[in-house]
Amino acid sequence: MSTSPETPVATTEGEKPCVAVVFGGRSSEHSVSLITARSVLRAIDRDAWDVVSVGISPDGAWFLYSQEELEALLEEQPLAQLPVGERRVSLPLQAGESRLLIHDSGEFGGPLTRGRHVDAVFPLLHGPFGEDGTLQGMLELADLPYVGCGVAASAIGMDKHFMKIAFQAAGLDVGPYTVISDRLWRTDPQTARENVAALGFPVFVKPARAGSSFGITRVDDPSQLDDAMATAREHDLKVVVEAAIEGREIECAVLGGHGTDDARASLPGEIEVHGHDLYDFEAKYVETDGATLSCPARLPEAVIETLRRDAVRAFHAVDGEGLSRCDFFVTPDGRVIINEINTMPGFTPISMYPRMWAASGLEYSQLIDELITLALERPVGLR
């Protein structure tokens, strides 16, 4: 089908809906996003969906980047970064356009070759500038339906401080923590140190708005705190410090409901970390034997039901849509403490979110279909 440069390619009756799979981005999780996208592009049902793949470079350039190009890049360098492509992409930020504008040069001002109609966007970006509500806001402006949580839920789910406030407001059990703002650390570090000491040691020092366990340090005594703060502040000037909790690390995957149906929770899974103090980046994505998942977790049935219930409660506490993964601690006395929510969990072959749904009876390709279907059912704008 040929079109004039200003005419969008519309989906007509009988044609497959077009899904734009978007990956890469400006965060420190850029390489993780590429691995996730490769996995989704391999598994997405091409009989059901027309797919266009869009890469975002580390400096924020949007361009067409094919699955074949992505496969070749990751074959050469498993933790690669996207080079800027020649076919630049932009979005018209006005209601009713629902298309990607594709340019035939590396500049946004270059000649416009065509407009590509898009029915939904599958944003496979992790961390800031992708998972934190910024991209979601742009897609709302462009009137493009998208997979996953909306602007507010994405922003709250990215910030470990405000997500805890939302959890506490919903009546969920949250462990002891303190927040060290940039201003507090620069103007009154002694008070910050005292607030941490009040939690008792050990503690975990975390960037408030970074993902994939980047910048997290276990601190066993006060002498280690300043170095841990410096590490965390390399990723975010706002830092959350959490008291260590004796308990098993349990995760639960949540999938939105259709229409007025409630969200659904998978069987919970238990993470067993090998050779690491915490479930960090290497254990998640680099070392295939860095962690194992037991699903369903070997827990009493009553605790499993509490975990599934609380995962859905956490999803609603942040006004979640589409999907999320909720992380918990289960203490020796059976207490269920929520740690955090991830509104765009990884989809790599060893990622826990799809593995928990597979153990719950929903295979990977079916999960992708379900997420896109939920996105198409949901309107953009206030709802």
Side-chain angles (χ1 to χ4, degrees):
M1 179 186 295
S2 62
T3 63
S4 67
E6 295 297 324
T7 304
V9 180
T11 301
T12 59
E13 186 175 359
E15 291 185 347
K16 294 179 288 189
C18 180
V19 179
V21 176
V22 181
F23 51 89
R26 293 171 51 191
S27 84
S28 56
E29 297 181 76
H30 178 97
S31 298
V32 176
S33 175
L34 305 191
I35 299 169
T36 294
R38 176 178 61 182
S39 184
V40 170
L41 289 169
R42 285 174 174 176
I44 193 168
D45 184 357
R46 304 300 176 119
D47 292 330
W49 313 106
D50 189 13
V51 177
V52 57
S53 50
V54 178
I56 303 177
S57 70
D59 64 357
W62 289 49
F63 48 92
L64 295 186
Y65 203 79
S66 70
Q67 179 182 354
E68 292 73 22
E69 290 172 312
L70 182 61
E71 294 275 4
L73 178 69
L74 293 177
E75 179 67 26
E76 180 179 338
Q77 188 180 350
L79 293 177
Q81 293 194 337
L82 289 176
V84 176
E86 290 298 319
R87 296 165 295 169
R88 291 289 288 265
V89 171
S90 61
L91 294 178
L93 300 182
Q94 64 186 81
E97 288 292 316
S98 298
R99 58 175 172 156
L100 300 174
L101 300 182
I102 300 168
H103 306 260
D104 65 2
S105 75
E107 299 296 330
F108 285 129
L112 181 67
T113 59
R114 62 192 176 111
R116 181 63 163 93
H117 179 88
V118 172
D119 294 285
V121 175
F122 201 147
L124 296 170
L125 294 101
H126 307 299
F129 310 111
E131 189 183 344
D132 60 353
T134 50
L135 175 69
Q136 289 74 17
M138 186 174 70
L139 295 174
E140 294 281 356
L141 286 172
D143 249 10
L144 280 171
Y146 53 92
V147 170
C149 288
V151 176
S154 298
I156 295 168
M158 193 70 216
D159 190 311
K160 294 177 176 63
H161 172 204
F162 290 112
M163 88 170 60
K164 290 177 187 294
I165 292 174
F167 293 157
Q168 288 170 320
L172 292 162
D173 197 351
V174 176
Y177 71 98
T178 189
V179 178
I180 303 177
S181 67
D182 178 47
R183 183 177 182 279
L184 178 61
W185 188 245
R186 290 191 293 121
T187 62
D188 192 1
Q190 184 56 35
T191 293
R193 295 186 186 101
E194 291 171 359
N195 292 344
V196 172
L199 297 174
F201 290 93
V203 297
F204 288 93
V205 178
K206 302 180 177 182
R209 295 161 292 196
S212 289
S213 303
F214 285 119
I216 297 180
T217 305
R218 177 187 167 114
V219 172
D220 292 302
D221 64 70
S223 67
Q224 301 171 342
L225 180 60
D226 283 21
D227 286 344
M229 284 293 298
T231 298
R233 284 166 58 84
E234 290 176 3
H235 298 272
D236 189 352
L237 296 179
K238 180 180 178 181
V239 176
V240 171
V241 182
E242 299 171 349
I245 295 172
E246 181 187 357
R248 296 162 64 180
E249 294 187 48
I250 309 293
E251 299 187 350
C252 193
V254 180
L255 188 60
H258 296 279
T260 58
D261 292 345
D262 202 2
R264 297 156 281 176
S266 73
L267 292 169
E270 180 169 12
I271 304 299
E272 297 178 16
V273 180
H274 311 296
H276 298 262
D277 287 334
L278 66 152
Y279 189 35
D280 59 10
F281 177 83
E282 285 74 19
K284 287 180 180 179
Y285 300 109
V286 179
E287 300 177 11
T288 56
D289 59 351
T292 56
L293 171 70
S294 175
C295 187
R298 292 180 291 275
L299 290 164
E301 189 62 34
V303 176
I304 288 176
E305 288 308 308
T306 297
L307 285 160
R308 299 180 76 181
R309 181 201 66 200
D310 282 1
V312 172
R313 288 174 65 195
F315 183 75
H316 291 312
V318 301
D319 204 17
E321 295 174 286
L323 76 162
S324 72
R325 190 197 69 238
C326 296
D327 302 343
F328 297 89
F329 295 105
V330 176
T331 65
D333 61 358
R335 181 181 169 196
V336 174
I337 303 172
I338 187 161
N339 184 33
E340 61 184 66
I341 191 169
N342 188 319
T343 58
M344 186 49 70
F347 274 80
T348 71
I350 61 173
S351 293
M352 303 309 172
Y353 184 88
R355 289 173 62 187
M356 284 187 285
W357 275 117
S360 303
L362 191 62
E363 293 299 329
Y364 192 41
S365 60
Q366 296 173 309
L367 178 59
I368 293 170
D369 285 347
E370 182 73 355
L371 288 169
I372 297 170
T373 300
L374 287 169
L376 290 170
E377 290 177 356
R378 184 184 77 195
V380 292
L382 298 176
R383 50 194 178 274

